[in-house]
């Protein structure tokens, strides 16, 4: 049966699919609570501005949908899609834009909505690319920040959670396009592919 199955193991909720066990790292209520807090911070920081929320497809679509409803000011939405070349497990740092923004961001306040920062290379590239279009300001809102050593640091103004260096799925994040629609952030117990 091609259905996610929820089970319990050692008193903890797990999800089973395709013989893989997904353990909960951040549950639904913790996500909801933190996103509400981030939304309030953004609301008060941007209360006299209409920011452009730039979201990076596809991983951040669920985070965007939830956080935008906690932001109580008018906002403009725009989307980009990027793909990293090379080895799929480790980002190469070479990023290609596969879908660009629809609107000009010149003179605008841009808030990038990202799902996860791993090596930080995707975000670095994006910030550099967007800065060249002369926005008034660019800030970053990222749901997850992985604990990995990085050469270059991005200052993330709105951060959801620091997480350990594990490959996570769910809440928009995938492994080989699977698991995006799991409602929590989890990790695959046997990370045999890493
Ligand atoms: P970075 O360029 O190494 O920071 O990678 C960022 C991108 O890789 C994210 O926007 C995700 O799409 C993807 N990514 C990084 N870590 C994970 C993970 O643990 N699970 C799913 N996708 C990830
Ligand atoms: Mg992404």
């Amino acid at each position: 049966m091609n259905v996610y199955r929820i089970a319990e193991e050692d008193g903890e909720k797990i999800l089973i699919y395709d013989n893989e066990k997904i353990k909960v790292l951040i549950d639904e209520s913790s996500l909801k609570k933190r996103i509400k807090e981030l939304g309030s911070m953004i609301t008060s920081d941007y209360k006299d501005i209409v920011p452009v929320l730039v979201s990076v497809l596809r991983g951040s679509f669920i985070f965007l949908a939830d956080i935008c409803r906690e932001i109580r000011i008018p906002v403009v939405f725009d989307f980009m899609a990027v793909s990293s070349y090379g080895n799929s497990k480790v980002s190469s740092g070479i990023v290609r834009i596969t879908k660009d923004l629809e609107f000009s961001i010149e003179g605008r306040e841009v808030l990038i909505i990202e799902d996860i920062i791993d090596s930080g290379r995707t975000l670095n590239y994006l910030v550099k690319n967007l800065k060249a279009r002369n926005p008034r300001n660019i800030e970053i809102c990222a749901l997850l920040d992985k604990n990995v050593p990085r050469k270059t640091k991005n200052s993330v103004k709105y951060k959801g959670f620091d997480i350990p260096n594990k490959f996570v799925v769910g809440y928009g994040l995938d492994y080989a396009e699977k698991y995006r629609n799991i409602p929590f952030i989890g990790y695959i117990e046997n990370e045999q592919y890493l």
Side-chain angles (χ1 to χ4, degrees):
M1 202 170 50
N2 188 29
V3 174
Y4 298 153
R5 195 159 61 80
I6 303 284
E8 213 166 275
E9 200 176 75
D10 308 325
E12 280 182 55
K13 191 171 99 170
I14 57 163
L15 188 141
I16 300 170
Y17 179 73
D18 254 6
N19 293 323
E20 277 173 319
K21 289 182 187 170
I22 316 280
K23 294 200 158 189
V24 180
L25 183 67
I26 307 170
D27 67 16
E28 289 167 73
S29 66
S30 309
L31 285 167
K32 203 175 161 76
K33 180 168 171 277
R34 184 66 188 135
I35 288 167
K36 221 181 171 72
E37 289 168 1
L38 292 176
S40 313
M41 287 158 67
I42 293 167
T43 301
S44 66
D45 290 353
Y46 289 85
K47 57 182 178 304
D48 301 314
I49 302 158
V50 180
V52 184
L53 302 189
V54 171
S55 140
V56 187
L57 296 171
R58 290 178 294 275
S60 45
F61 78 107
I62 294 180
F63 177 42
L64 176 73
D66 282 349
I67 197 164
C68 75
R69 285 174 289 176
E70 300 294 344
I71 299 175
R72 304 285 152 82
I73 50 162
V75 297
V76 170
F77 294 92
D78 211 342
F79 298 89
M80 280 181 95
V82 297
S83 79
S84 303
Y85 283 122
N87 187 333
S88 64
K89 293 165 202 155
V90 185
S91 106
S92 60
I94 305 163
V95 179
R96 185 169 58 99
I97 295 179
T98 55
K99 189 221 168 293
D100 206 345
L101 299 178
E102 301 287 328
F103 303 125
S104 162
I105 53 165
E106 193 173 344
R108 302 295 301 258
E109 306 246 352
V110 172
L111 181 57
I112 298 176
I113 307 287
E114 246 298 34
D115 49 0
I116 184 165
I117 307 172
D118 187 355
S119 70
R121 287 173 170 142
T122 305
L123 204 53
N124 262 343
Y125 172 83
L126 261 174
V127 168
K128 218 181 272 172
N129 183 289
L130 295 180
K131 269 191 179 154
R133 307 178 195 200
N134 299 318
R136 168 123 59 104
N137 167 264
I138 299 183
E139 297 291 356
I140 297 160
C141 172
L143 180 64
L144 306 172
D145 189 352
K146 236 189 241 190
N147 183 16
V148 293
R150 286 180 199 129
K151 280 195 216 111
T152 43
K153 284 243 177 304
N154 277 297
S155 57
V156 180
K157 188 161 184 188
Y158 309 98
K159 188 203 289 191
F161 301 88
D162 287 301
I163 61 163
N165 191 3
K166 280 181 188 296
F167 194 85
V168 291
V169 295
Y171 200 74
L173 291 158
D174 72 308
Y175 170 59
E177 294 303 322
K178 283 196 297 189
Y179 308 120
R180 290 195 196 275
N181 59 334
I182 293 174
F184 56 83
I185 300 283
Y187 59 97
I188 301 170
E189 193 177 49
N190 303 310
E191 294 190 346
Q192 71 271 47
Y193 49 87
L194 286 181

